[in-house]
């Protein structure tokens, strides 16, 4: 008579199933995270780190030429430098403005003095001063002349081409601002210490540009996947 099958013969199958389950659990670990709880840059991207050496940024005294409406001596308005990547980048996030799409004339100055906007942005230019202003630009990226208009009125300009637009006031010669029109989301206003970082940049060759109201410099960089490219600029 054939003896009944031994229960011990089932144990290897149970152990094998347990091992397979353990391996399955091991393949579903959460994604790796970098320090401080931030996620690692997405696949196919890297980082650009750089240093910019700017000339002396102290405002030029203009007391012998320019005076405010109250008789005060005014300096030429200071415009911060901005670092950005040139050109469109298919597959990346859309470019976003650095702030509200408004460049106000207030206190006989432009506020803010630098605005970054995507191509096609419509920027509002309200007059908040109790006097006339005349906002204009002769820049190649966008030429316009809004004419003189009083407090409480506003005019708009559509920036439909990429590039740096120098904005001035025909009435108040010290007033100036920059509007940078970009085609991708990779830009940053340059801190006073001159060091900058652009994260999650698609791997490959890129052109890095630093722009001030008066100067410009650029350099080619090759961003490695998962790595960092470094660059030094001096406009």
């Amino acid at each position: 008579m054939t003896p009944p099958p031994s229960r011990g013969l089932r144990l290897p199958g149970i152990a094998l199933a347990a091992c397979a389950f353990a391996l399955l659990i091991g393949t579903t670990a959460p994604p790796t995270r970098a320090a401080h709880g931030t996620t690692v840059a997405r696949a196919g991207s890297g980082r650009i780190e750089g240093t910019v050496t700017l000339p002396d940024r102290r405002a030029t005294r203009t007391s012998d030429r320019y005076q405010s409406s109250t008789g005060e001596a005014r300096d030429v308005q200071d415009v911060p430098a901005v670092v950005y990547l040139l050109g469109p980048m298919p597959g990346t996030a859309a470019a976003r403005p650095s702030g509200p799409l408004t460049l106000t004339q207030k206190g006989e100055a432009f506020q803010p003095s630098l605005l970054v906007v995507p191509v096609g942005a419509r920027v509002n230019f309200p007059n908040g001063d109790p006097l006339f202003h005349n906002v204009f630009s002769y820049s190649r990226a966008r030429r316009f002349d809004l004419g003189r208009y009083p407090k409480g009125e506003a005019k708009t300009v559509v920036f439909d081409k990429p590039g740096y637009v120098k904005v001035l006031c025909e009435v108040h010669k010290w007033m100036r601002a920059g509007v940078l029109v970009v085609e991708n989301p990779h830009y940053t206003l340059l801190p006073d210490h001159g060091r900058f970082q652009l994260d999650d940049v698609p791997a490959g060759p890129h052109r890095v540009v630093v722009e001030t109201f008066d100067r410009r410099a650029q350099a080619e960089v090759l961003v490695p996947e998962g790595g960092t490219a470094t660059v030094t600029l001096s406009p």
Side-chain angles (χ1 to χ4, degrees):
M1 184 171 77
T2 304
S6 173
R7 293 184 179 180
L9 294 177
R10 298 180 182 178
L11 293 178
I14 296 174
L16 182 61
C19 290
F21 182 74
L23 289 174
L24 179 61
I25 293 296
T27 62
T28 58
T32 304
R33 290 183 175 267
H36 308 297
T38 58
T39 56
V40 175
R42 63 181 175 82
S45 68
R47 172 186 298 169
I48 299 175
E49 294 180 353
T51 302
V52 177
T53 303
L54 294 173
D56 192 349
R57 291 177 60 187
R58 290 176 299 179
T60 303
R61 293 299 299 178
T62 58
S63 57
D64 58 334
R65 291 182 295 166
Y66 303 143
Q67 289 185 340
S68 70
S69 61
T70 58
E72 298 173 298
R74 298 301 296 260
D75 297 336
V76 172
Q77 191 168 0
D78 189 34
V79 181
V82 59
V83 178
Y84 62 101
L85 299 186
L86 204 62
M89 293 185 191
T92 62
R96 301 183 65 179
S98 59
L101 297 177
T102 301
L103 204 61
T104 304
Q105 303 134 65
K106 184 70 174 178
E108 299 178 35
F110 287 113
Q111 300 179 11
S113 57
L114 177 69
L115 182 63
V116 184
V117 302
V119 174
R122 182 183 296 271
V123 177
N124 197 36
F125 289 84
N127 184 358
D129 283 331
L131 41 80
F132 283 86
H133 286 292
N134 185 348
V135 181
F136 72 97
S137 176
Y138 292 147
S139 296
R140 182 179 300 177
R142 188 64 171 91
R143 294 174 63 94
F144 61 89
D145 188 339
L146 302 184
R148 298 194 179 197
Y149 55 102
K151 180 179 181 179
E153 290 190 11
K155 298 190 178 183
T156 61
V157 176
V158 176
F159 293 88
D160 52 3
K161 295 180 181 179
Y164 191 92
V165 181
K166 299 179 180 182
V167 182
L168 300 161
C169 177
E170 187 271 333
V171 181
H172 307 94
K173 306 299 183 182
W174 63 87
M175 289 176 60
R176 62 183 191 175
V179 176
L180 174 63
V181 188
V182 296
E183 298 178 277
N184 65 74
H186 301 290
Y187 68 85
T188 182
L189 273 62
L190 187 69
D192 290 337
H193 51 64
R195 296 185 298 276
F196 69 90
Q197 178 175 306
L198 297 173
D199 293 318
D200 207 20
V201 177
H206 296 283
R207 182 176 298 178
V208 185
V209 181
V210 58
E211 196 116 34
T212 71
F213 194 87
D214 300 308
R215 298 171 181 266
R216 187 177 193 266
Q218 60 185 12
E220 301 288 341
V221 299
L222 182 62
V223 177
E225 183 173 351
T228 300
T230 59
V231 62
T232 301
L233 297 165
S234 181

